């Protein structure tokens, strides 16, 4: 199967344990993304591996019984090991601290520890069948301090390390869930809620299993995902995933339903804010994006974004015998811990709706080059989209660009004004790959697009103008190089009338670089010279450029009239104008310009003579040679 078929793949660095068959137990710590391989016999050997080889740790500890759970605190500072239902053992891994074990029993009598979670480098929560106990670990004293506890009947629990929220299953059916949030030594009780179980024929009763629940942080919000299996006797027996949003304060709400359109056994992951659902019997996976909302629906019901696909098999190099090909469900994958990632390029051809595709890509991590390739594809070849589709895509990209620019401006203003009383420190906005600016679009899409020989020049110009319209719509200043691209394209196809119209009606905004470009086109399009001068005049800050342009065309009197019209004749350089007049070889023009500056000198300084600093000595000599010394203006006498 081709590479384009797969949009999910296993990452390039699977966690592998040598001699996996000799490992007694393997534990995965989601908070630290670590895998613990435990081998017992005499002393207990432990190998800890993460997604990078440099994070590997190996050590031995006394064999005090079967290890039921083992986890490092954040930063690998303290190790916690549970061997019995009543207590948890601790070992310091902090440099210069004694490498000795100490233990803590749960406080509640007759309670059994179901597990534990680190919420900070020195804070840990015991979850028992009778409640939770929140402790601070004191490594220097080799003891624990109880911070807070809560009595509640617990069937099972789940932990979300990103948000430090523990979810407890309570009641007989297990479908009433009580979340607790932890932060900096505090424990907060959040709103409890009930999972709506499917209806089953009487007298059967259904209990909520932890296998059907997952907790995840999606787009910065905490969700509980419930894998709901309907009875085969119902009208729609297909399974679905129901999402409940858990706010820090306020009631929990059922917000999304993901339609799986099949039955069977499933597993859930969240990758790059996408909910990935794996179907065991077909060995395929589907993905959902809860931000892709269905219209006119209070409770968002979602279909898969893309068709079902299997996960790309991974080839593991083996010394001397080639490669071992592994898929997630293959026996050869034993002894490996995999990380899943989304491949964006294959999604381009699987999602035909370009607007929906751009919405999907803009929310992904490594999206920039894929989005730019979509834009190129949309403008070229068989996949060429209509102008309406092109406009939709441009508007979506520029809206994200505008939001970033506004956030950056707000941050800059806040920094310049200084912190206000009671305000929190403002963080600089992060420029994600979703920010596609004018330079990106020009470099990777538009410049090469305008050079295409097999595309109508009308379509090319329409696309360029559509991008400019989109920028103007969100009030983003259009960069001059985009206008230059339009002008060069119009000139290349000899569309001078259209160019004239664009400039006359200010479709192309005035700028000095644009005026200079027009000047360079005078040989091809003579009217460009006057259009350039008109543009420079409108700019009002380009007087020097206008003078330079006129002098370069030997229009010395025109330059002088212009500078007098804007009131700048008292400050202009006499030498510059006299040089220009001299180059025309027109003696009477030189006489007129020379006489103008003599009169200016007389008016400003009371003498027609030039100052030494004006460096006009050679011009005075020339004037005397041609017209005679008697032609020089005489100084006025009182």
């Amino acid at each position: 199967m081709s590479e384009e078929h797969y949009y999910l793949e296993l990452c390039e660095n699977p966690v592998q344990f040598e001699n996996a068959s000799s490992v007694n137990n393997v534990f995965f710590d989601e908070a630290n993304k670590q895998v613990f391989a435990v081998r017992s016999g005499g002393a207990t050997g432990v190998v800890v591996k993460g997604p990078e080889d440099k994070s590997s740790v190996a050590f031995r500890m006394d064999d005090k019984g079967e290890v039921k759970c083992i986890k490092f605190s954040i930063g690998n500072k303290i190790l916690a090991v549970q061997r019995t239902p009543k207590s948890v053992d601790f070992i310091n891994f902090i440099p210069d601290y004694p490498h000795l074990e100490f233990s803590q029993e749960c406080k509640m009598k007759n309670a059994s520890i179901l597990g534990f979670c680190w919420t900070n480098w020195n804070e840990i929560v015991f979850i028992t069948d009778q409640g939770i106990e929140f402790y601070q670990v004191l490594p220097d004293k080799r003891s624990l301090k109880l911070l807070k506890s809560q009595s509640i009947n617990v069937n099972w629990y789940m932990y979300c390390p990103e948000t430090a929220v523990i979810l407890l299953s309570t009641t007989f059916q297990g479908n009433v869930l009580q979340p607790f949030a932890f932060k900096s030594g505090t424990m907060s009780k959040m709103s409890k809620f009930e999972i709506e179980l499917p209806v089953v024929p009487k007298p059967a009763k259904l209990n909520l299993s932890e296998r059907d629940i997952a907790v995840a942080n999606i787009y910065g919000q905490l969700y509980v995902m419930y894998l709901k299996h309907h009875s085969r006797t119902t009208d729609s027996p297909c399974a679905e995933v129901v999402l409940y949003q858990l706010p820090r304060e306020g009631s929990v709400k059922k917000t999304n339903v993901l339609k799986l359109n099949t039955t069977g056994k499933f597993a859930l992951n969240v990758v790059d804010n996408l909910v990935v659902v794996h179907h065991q019997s077909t060995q395929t996976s589907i993905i959902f994006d809860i931000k892709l909302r269905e219209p006119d629906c209070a409770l968002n019901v979602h279909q898969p974004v893309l068709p079902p696909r299997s996960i790309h098999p991974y080839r593991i190099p083996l010394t001397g015998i080639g490669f071992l090909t592994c898929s997630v469900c293959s026996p050869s994958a034993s002894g490996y811990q995999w990380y899943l990632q989304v491949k964006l390029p294959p999604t381009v051809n699987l999602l035909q709706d370009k607007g929906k595709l751009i919405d999907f890509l803009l929310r992904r991590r490594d999206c920039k080059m894929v989005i730019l390739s979509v834009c190129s594809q949309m403008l070229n070849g068989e996949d060429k989209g209509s102008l309406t589709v092109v406009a939709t895509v441009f508007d979506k990209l520029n809206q994200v660009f505008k939001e970033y620019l506004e956030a950056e401006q707000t941050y800059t203003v806040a920094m310049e004004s200084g912190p206000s009383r009671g305000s929190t420190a403002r963080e600089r906005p992060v420029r994600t790959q979703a920010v596609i600016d004018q330079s990106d679009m020009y470099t990777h899409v538009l410049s090469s697009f305008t050079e295409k020989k097999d595309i109508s020049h009308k379509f090319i110009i329409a696309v360029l103008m559509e991008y400019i319209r989109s920028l103007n719509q969100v009030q983003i200043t259009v960069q001059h190089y985009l206008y230059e691209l339009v002008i060069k394209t119009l000139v290349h196809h000899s569309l001078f009338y259209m160019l004239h119209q664009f400039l006359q009606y200010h479709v192309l905004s005035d700028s000095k670089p644009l005026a200079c470009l027009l000047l360079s086109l005078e040989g091809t399009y003579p009217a460009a010279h006057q259009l350039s001068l008109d543009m420079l005049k409108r700019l009002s800050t380009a007087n020097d450029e206008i003078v330079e342009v006129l002098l370069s065309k030997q229009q010395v009197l025109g330059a002088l009239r212009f500078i007098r019209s804007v009131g700048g004749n008292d400050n202009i350089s006499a030498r510059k104008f006299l040089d220009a007049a001299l180059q025309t070889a027109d003696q009477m023009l030189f006489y007129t310009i020379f006489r103008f500056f003599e009169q200016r000198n007389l008016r400003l300084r009371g003498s027609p003579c030039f100052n030494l600093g004006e460096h006009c000595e050679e011009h005075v000599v020339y004037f005397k040679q041609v017209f005679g010394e008697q032609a020089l203006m005489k100084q006025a006498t009182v």
Side-chain angles (χ1 to χ4, degrees), residues 316-379:
I316 301 169
L318 298 177
T319 306
I321 59 172
F323 292 89
L324 173 67
T325 301
C326 292
S327 64
V328 172
C329 302
S330 66
S332 57
S334 176
Y336 291 87
Q337 182 73 38
W338 302 98
Y339 292 90
L340 190 65
Q341 60 190 23
V342 178
K343 290 173 64 181
L344 293 181
T347 66
V348 172
N349 297 319
L350 293 172
L351 196 53
Q352 297 304 314
D353 183 330
K354 288 290 188 285
K356 195 173 182 180
L357 173 62
I358 291 296
D359 285 338
F360 173 79
L361 292 174
L362 281 170
R363 300 186 187 102
R364 308 286 73 84
R365 244 190 320 264
D366 302 318
C367 64
K368 176 169 284 189
M369 296 313 298
V370 181
I371 289 174
L372 292 169
S373 74
V374 169
C375 292
S376 293
Q377 184 189 77
M378 175 180 69
L379 301 178

Side-chain angles (χ1 to χ4, degrees), residues 229-246:
H229 299 272
H230 290 280
S231 168
R232 294 186 182 276
T233 59
T234 58
D235 294 335
S236 59
C238 294
E240 58 191 26
V241 178
V242 183
L243 269 64
Y244 295 82
Q245 187 179 338
L246 278 63

Side-chain angles (χ1 to χ4, degrees), residues 437-448 481-482 485:
D437 62 20
Q438 296 174 70
S439 175
D440 296 323
M441 190 62 69
Y442 175 85
T443 304
H444 298 284
V445 180
L446 297 178
S447 58
S448 58
Y481 48 75
L482 291 174
L485 198 58

Side-chain angles (χ1 to χ4, degrees), residues 23-27 38-44 46 61-70 80-89 116:
V23 173
N24 298 93
N25 282 304
V26 175
F27 302 92
V38 180
R39 296 180 175 92
S40 53
T44 302
V46 181
M61 55 186 185
D62 293 338
D63 191 349
K64 296 182 179 179
E66 181 188 355
V67 174
K68 298 181 182 297
C69 186
I70 181 169
V81 185
Q82 182 190 353
R83 298 183 176 96
T84 74
K86 297 292 183 183
S87 65
V88 176
D89 300 325
F116 60 85

